[in-house]
Amino acid sequence: MGSVLVVGDVLLDLDVHGTVDRLCPDAPVPVLDVTGEVARPGGAGLAAALLAGSGVRTTLVAALAEDGDRVRDLLAPTLDLVPGPATGGTPVKCRWHSADGPLLRTDTGTGRPADGFGETVRAGLRRALDDVGAVLVSDYGRGVTADPQVRRMLADAVAAGTPVVWDPHPKGSDPVPGVIMTPNAKEAAGALGLTGGDPVGCAAELRRRRESRAVVVTRGDQGAVLVTASERVAVPALDVTGGDPCGAGDAFAGRLAAALAAGSSLPAAVESAVRTAGRFVEAGGAATVRCVEGRWTQIGAGVTERAS
């Protein structure tokens, strides 16, 4: 199986669990008595951790702030980490839960690449690109994909024939030409200045405007649509019962890159990615991802394919 290089913005996801049996005396808000906390990498970190946990040799290039030791400790034992400097503190998304369900989410930190980020990671990025089967660009709008040095090297990888999967973000930078874009339906329409529209038409127009090799629009429980210069392929979703879609885009894009690195055709890689994302959702999404015996994995149930 070919190796995968992940380039993008790393977050820290925290789930804080507790019990509520009273209100605060000075305001009508619940008091959460904390019983536990679960930490895991988020953003590009989640995509890379899932890849490494599935047995794919994975390198991650990302910006880490000075307070990023916790993220580093989560990632460094499981994959090859090439960090560059970041400012504004580690981006942390903290979800607060009681036994009855979520209470609140708080966001802190910006984690934007510091001046000289591209030069700092250049050597490590070059080494990874020289020995990689595919690249996944996981853009979470923090600025790694806007770095000129990084963009030049990604464009060089496309020119050399390396498959580059680009998972975009509404606040991120435009993909370099020649990549395989993986927006969801809302992101695809939004990139065209629309509020909705036919996914196939949106994918075709987005591919033309961005000069992409292909656009794969993910559609949740409706599967995905692949559009290239010569083909349009609809891939149905799995028959999923319940679950949580949080993190499904990372699971999808990572599996797509891994399948291409292993030599799959693009249509076959999209089918594999749809299956992986469906299983990920039904197993409980990102909230069920844990590091078990040094490997990031998911605790949950499987799914069956929907009959055609």
Side-chain angles (χ1 to χ4, degrees):
M1 181 179 292
S3 61
V4 174
L5 166 65
V6 181
V7 179
D9 306 297
V10 169
L11 317 176
L12 174 63
D13 283 347
L14 296 178
D15 285 320
V16 178
H17 298 272
T19 59
V20 174
D21 56 20
R22 67 192 190 280
L23 295 178
C24 182
D26 55 352
V29 295
V31 175
L32 182 70
D33 290 319
V34 175
T35 58
E37 178 181 287
V38 176
R40 63 183 171 273
L46 177 62
L50 292 174
L51 275 169
S54 70
V56 177
R57 184 160 59 89
T58 306
T59 300
L60 171 63
V61 175
L64 294 186
E66 291 184 355
D67 64 349
D69 287 347
R70 192 170 190 183
V71 174
R72 188 189 301 268
D73 291 344
L74 290 171
L75 290 168
T78 64
L79 48 79
D80 294 325
L81 181 61
V82 181
T87 62
T90 299
V92 180
K93 296 185 180 296
C94 184
R95 296 167 177 85
W96 305 81
H97 305 265
S98 72
D100 294 327
L103 294 174
L104 177 71
R105 193 184 95 177
T106 54
D107 292 357
T108 57
T110 57
R112 300 195 67 82
D115 291 342
F117 169 82
E119 188 58 32
T120 302
V121 301
R122 181 177 62 83
L125 180 54
R126 172 51 57 203
R127 284 194 301 272
L129 287 172
D130 286 343
D131 182 31
V132 73
V135 177
L136 168 60
V137 179
S138 182
D139 190 351
Y140 272 77
R142 305 284 172 163
V144 166
T145 61
D147 183 274
Q149 179 86 284
V150 171
R151 293 181 67 82
R152 281 194 296 270
M153 296 178 77
L154 291 173
D156 289 344
V158 172
T162 303
V164 177
V165 175
W166 194 296
D167 194 13
H169 189 278
K171 296 182 180 179
S173 57
D174 290 341
V176 301
V179 304
I180 301 161
M181 294 179 62
T182 61
N184 60 37
K186 182 178 180 180
E187 290 167 343
L192 299 172
L194 306 173
T195 57
D198 169 46
V200 174
C202 287
E205 179 61 16
L206 190 58
R207 192 196 71 81
R208 185 189 68 81
R209 291 192 190 183
R210 296 289 186 265
E211 302 179 67
S212 298
R213 170 184 169 188
V215 173
V216 185
V217 176
T218 57
R219 305 178 65 201
D221 61 4
Q222 298 182 62
V225 174
L226 164 66
V227 173
T228 70
S230 60
E231 60 185 343
R232 285 151 173 71
V233 179
V235 179
L238 299 185
D239 188 7
V240 171
T241 302
D244 186 338
C246 182
D250 297 306
F252 178 93
R255 182 63 238 165
L256 179 62
L260 293 171
S264 292
S265 68
L266 186 50
V270 173
E271 291 176 3
S272 177
V274 167
R275 291 194 298 270
T276 294
R279 296 187 182 101
F280 183 85
V281 168
E282 185 167 73
T288 62
V289 174
R290 300 287 188 276
C291 192
V292 180
E293 297 181 350
R295 183 173 72 91
W296 287 98
T297 189
Q298 196 181 23
I299 310 300
V303 296
T304 57
E305 291 199 33
R306 176 180 297 155
S308 58

